[in-house]
Amino acid sequence: MTDAELRSILTDRLAAVRGRMAEACRRAGRDEASVTLVAVTKTVSARVIGLLPELGTFDLGESRPQALWSKAAELGSLPIRWHMIGHLQRNKVERTLPLVHLFHSIDSERLLNEVAATGVKLGRRPRVLLQMNASHEEQKHGFDYAELRGIRGQVRSVACDIVGLMGMAALASEGDGPRQTFAELRAFWNEQRAEWPELTELSMGMSGDFETAIEEGATLIRVGSTLFEGLEGE
Ligand SMILES: *Cc1c(COP(=O)(O)O)cnc(C)c1O
């Protein structure tokens, strides 16, 4: 595919997603500017990603640290804000931290402490979201609601800017499953914000459920396949 063909496909798909976001905002009585699209680029090459900033999309998400390192190196001259959205091992924190605008997937107190310590060492204050086990699945990463209520004091005292929460609906969930999960996460976010006003962000919603997530209060949505399906080989 030529760059012109790719640009035309990406322009159409971004417009379609932004149109659906605007409709969901309208249904929910929300301002469109209150929701940020994070384009999840994990399935596409640096060549495809490199066309996004000129199309007005600067917030990009990657789920694997090594892929983020190599894409960020290749695209270093572009004004991209990288979001780390996948599970992060503690031994990958130091190399990842300087590249990342926002960590969505801080899923344990150990990882939070590691990110904070690395920030101190590098002289940077990390911006993070706490990933909640919103779907209550045993094998899923993330804080439980009761757990976070119990350790909130310790968590708030670490050397990170904790700016919100992130969650995912269960993979198998359909029908009202995602809505219930998102509504519960939003209720917890509101409960915490009453005493913790820095929690301004709520990251929830992917290709299959981002409109529901917006209706339920998401401020960041993470959309991959709807934008990039079929472009994996480009
Ligand atoms: C891949 C991924 C997404 C995007 O999923 P799509 O269904 O392709 O939109 C969102 N969030 C996380 C954590 C992911 O790993």
Side-chain angles (χ1 to χ4, degrees):
M1 220 179 268
T2 65
D3 275 4
E5 286 167 327
L6 261 181
R7 203 176 277 117
S8 145
I9 290 172
L10 291 171
T11 301
D12 290 350
R13 292 202 187 161
L14 284 165
V17 167
R18 291 194 183 283
R20 289 169 60 187
M21 289 170 67
E23 274 299 300
C25 283
R26 197 189 48 72
R27 283 195 296 277
R30 298 184 56 191
D31 182 348
E32 282 176 47
S34 68
V35 187
T36 298
L37 170 65
V38 177
V40 176
T41 51
K42 65 190 179 197
T43 60
V44 291
S45 68
R47 176 181 166 233
V48 175
I49 298 170
L51 298 171
L52 296 171
E54 66 189 79
L55 302 177
T57 299
F58 303 97
D59 288 277
L60 308 182
E62 285 285 331
S63 60
R64 290 180 47 247
Q66 291 97 328
L68 193 149
W69 302 341
S70 68
K71 288 171 176 175
E74 211 169 326
L75 299 164
S77 60
L78 294 174
I80 291 170
R81 291 185 287 266
W82 290 107
H83 295 246
M84 178 66 210
I85 64 171
H87 183 59
L88 182 62
Q89 290 163 295
R90 286 181 302 142
N91 63 5
K92 306 233 164 53
V93 169
E94 184 158 346
R95 194 159 165 198
T96 309
L97 179 55
L99 305 171
V100 167
H101 171 70
L102 180 63
F103 288 91
H104 291 231
S105 45
I106 302 301
D107 55 14
S108 69
E109 206 179 355
R110 274 180 92 189
L111 178 60
L112 178 68
N113 288 334
E114 179 73 25
V115 170
T118 306
V120 169
K121 183 172 161 193
L122 300 179
R124 289 170 178 265
R125 185 128 178 131
R127 292 183 73 243
V128 311
L129 307 179
L130 301 179
Q131 179 172 346
M132 305 304 299
N133 183 356
S135 58
H136 307 292
E137 290 166 285
E138 277 202 10
Q139 73 280 17
K140 277 282 177 71
H141 296 290
F143 293 89
D144 291 325
Y145 294 127
E147 176 193 9
L148 186 56
R149 281 190 193 103
I151 60 174
R152 187 173 74 202
Q154 285 134 266
V155 162
R156 284 188 73 174
S157 68
V158 303
C160 287
D161 289 332
I162 302 174
V163 298
L165 305 177
M166 180 271 220
M168 280 186 266
L171 267 189
S173 69
E174 43 191 46
D176 274 347
R179 189 176 300 278
Q180 272 174 22
T181 300
F182 295 153
E184 187 182 29
L185 179 55
R186 192 239 293 249
F188 180 78
W189 179 55
N190 282 332
E191 168 201 304
Q192 294 299 310
R193 274 203 296 175
E195 311 210 355
W196 190 355
E198 296 85 2
L199 295 186
T200 55
E201 304 296 333
L202 185 58
S203 170
M204 56 186 197
M206 319 191 343
S207 289
D209 52 26
F210 71 84
E211 289 146 303
T212 304
I214 290 171
E215 289 165 12
E216 297 299 331
T219 66
L220 292 152
I221 59 169
R222 310 177 310 271
V223 178
S225 49
T226 293
L227 293 170
F228 301 116
E229 206 152 45
L231 304 179
E232 294 83 1
E234 298 299 326

